[in-house]
Amino acid sequence: MAGKQEIRTTAGAPPIGAYSQGLVVGDFLYTSGMGPLDPETGEVVGDDVAAQTHRTMRNLGAVLEARGLTFDDVVKATVHLQNLKEDFAAFNEAYQSYFTRPYPVRTTVGSDLMDILVEIDFVAYAGR
C-alpha cells in the first residue's frame, strides 16, 4: 500500500509478533495494541492494573513521540481489560492522567489477555 509509513522506537515495547508498533496512513497514526512490557527486557511491569496502565501508556507515548506527536493528538483509544468490573476505576484514573479535555473517544471491553491486565491501542491525528 502506497503511503504507509512504519513507526519504530526502542523506547516503547518491542513487537512480539508480526506487527508494527505504529503505522502512519494518510493523516493518522495507528498503533498496535500495547501492554505493560518493559522496552529493554520485554518483561511485564507492574502487579496491578494502575501500574500496568502507566507502563502501557508510556509505551504508547514513545510511539507517538517517535512521530512527533503527543497524547493531545490521540483521537481514539481501544482498551482491553482482563478484569473489567474489578479494574475499571483504577485503570480509568491512571489512563485519565495522560489526557486533557476533550478526551479521545474510547471503547473499553473485557478481554481474555495473555498474562497482562491491560492492552491499549490508539489512533492519533498526524496531519499538520
Side-chain angles (χ1 to χ4, degrees), residues 81-104:
L81 294 176
Q82 178 73 27
N83 305 303
L84 181 61
K85 290 181 183 179
E86 297 89 349
D87 286 345
F88 182 83
F91 149 76
N92 194 58
E93 184 176 340
Y95 170 92
Q96 184 175 321
S97 70
Y98 292 84
F99 296 105
T100 58
R101 291 185 182 272
Y103 300 122

Side-chain angles (χ1 to χ4, degrees), residues 62-73:
V63 176
L64 293 170
E65 187 177 309
R67 182 58 168 87
L69 303 175
T70 70
F71 288 103
D72 289 339
D73 298 303

Side-chain angles (χ1 to χ4, degrees), residues 47-56 87 90-91 94-95 98 117-118:
D47 294 330
D48 61 42
V49 75
Q52 288 196 13
T53 298
H54 284 295
R55 178 70 260 174
T56 299
D87 286 345
F91 149 76
Y95 170 92
Y98 292 84
L117 299 174
V118 61

Side-chain angles (χ1 to χ4, degrees), residues 98-128:
Y98 292 84
F99 296 105
T100 58
R101 291 185 182 272
Y103 300 122
V105 298
R106 182 177 84 194
T107 301
T108 305
V109 298
S111 294
D112 186 13
L113 301 175
M114 193 178 310
D115 300 323
I116 59 175
L117 299 174
V118 61
E119 182 174 334
I120 304 170
D121 68 80
F122 287 158
V123 177
Y125 183 68
R128 294 209 174 154

Side-chain angles (χ1 to χ4, degrees), residues 6-10 12-22 32-34 37 39:
E6 182 179 19
I7 304 300
R8 302 168 97 183
T9 179
T10 58
I16 56 173
Y19 60 87
S20 299
Q21 289 171 310
S32 64
M34 293 201 177
L37 301 182

